[in-house]
Amino acid sequence: MHEYTSMTRVWGLSCPGFPEEVSRARRWTRDILRGSPFAEDAELIVSELSANAILHTASGRDQGSFHLAVAVSAQVVAVSVTDDGGTATAPKVEHQDQDAEGGRGLGMVSTIAHRVVVHDSEAGHTVTAELFTDVRRGGGRLC
């Protein structure tokens, strides 16, 4: 293999911060991962992270947007959502009780994904959820 050739494929999508764009991001992810055993998990993760970006950050304000990336290699399927920031705190997993009506989304993502990483910058937050292809379904998850 040539030193500049990667076996990782990466796709990107930018969406205006409208609620209906969450379904577009979900469909886009499903199309990219068609046939992958991780397609449904990735679609659910993208839905939750995109909705969080619109609901909790400047992405949902006038002229706001969120950005989605899907990376696929032999070892991992990674989905990342970057928001426009505008909040004083970074996204974090909150352990809510079963009857709570909110605050459980990132916890759900961390249960589905093998690893969740949050990167902060002055421009916003990027939440990346990784699904490792070499961990058998039903086995332990590395969260």
Side-chain angles (χ1 to χ4, degrees):
M1 174 167 46
H2 190 273
E3 68 178 301
Y4 297 113
T5 303
S6 172
M7 295 306 292
T8 302
R9 307 255 344 243
V10 180
W11 294 263
L13 177 69
S14 293
C15 298
F18 304 128
E20 58 270 17
E21 291 297 311
V22 173
S23 62
R24 181 168 77 116
R26 199 171 44 241
R27 281 190 315 273
W28 180 80
T29 302
R30 183 177 54 238
D31 288 346
I32 289 170
L33 296 175
R34 182 167 281 125
S36 167
F38 296 106
E40 288 182 12
D41 287 347
E43 184 180 348
L44 182 59
I45 289 167
V46 163
S47 182
E48 187 59 40
L49 296 180
S50 299
N52 283 352
I54 292 169
L55 290 171
H56 302 296
T57 74
S59 293
R61 297 182 194 149
D62 287 343
Q63 306 301 314
S65 62
F66 64 95
H67 311 281
L68 174 61
V70 175
V72 179
S73 74
Q75 296 80 27
V76 67
V77 172
V79 294
S80 299
V81 173
T82 302
D83 63 43
D84 285 346
T87 61
T89 60
K92 65 179 183 249
V93 175
E94 294 182 10
H95 300 284
Q96 301 288 345
D97 66 34
Q98 189 172 357
D99 298 328
E101 292 189 20
R104 296 183 302 190
L106 202 49
M108 179 184 65
V109 169
S110 70
T111 299
I112 295 169
H114 296 106
R115 181 169 63 175
V116 176
V117 179
V118 178
H119 292 282
D120 299 321
S121 74
E122 291 182 22
H125 310 97
T126 299
V127 179
T128 301
E130 297 175 340
L131 300 162
F132 299 137
T133 60
D134 59 351
V135 175
R136 295 182 192 261
R137 299 300 262 173
R141 296 200 185 271
L142 307 172
C143 293

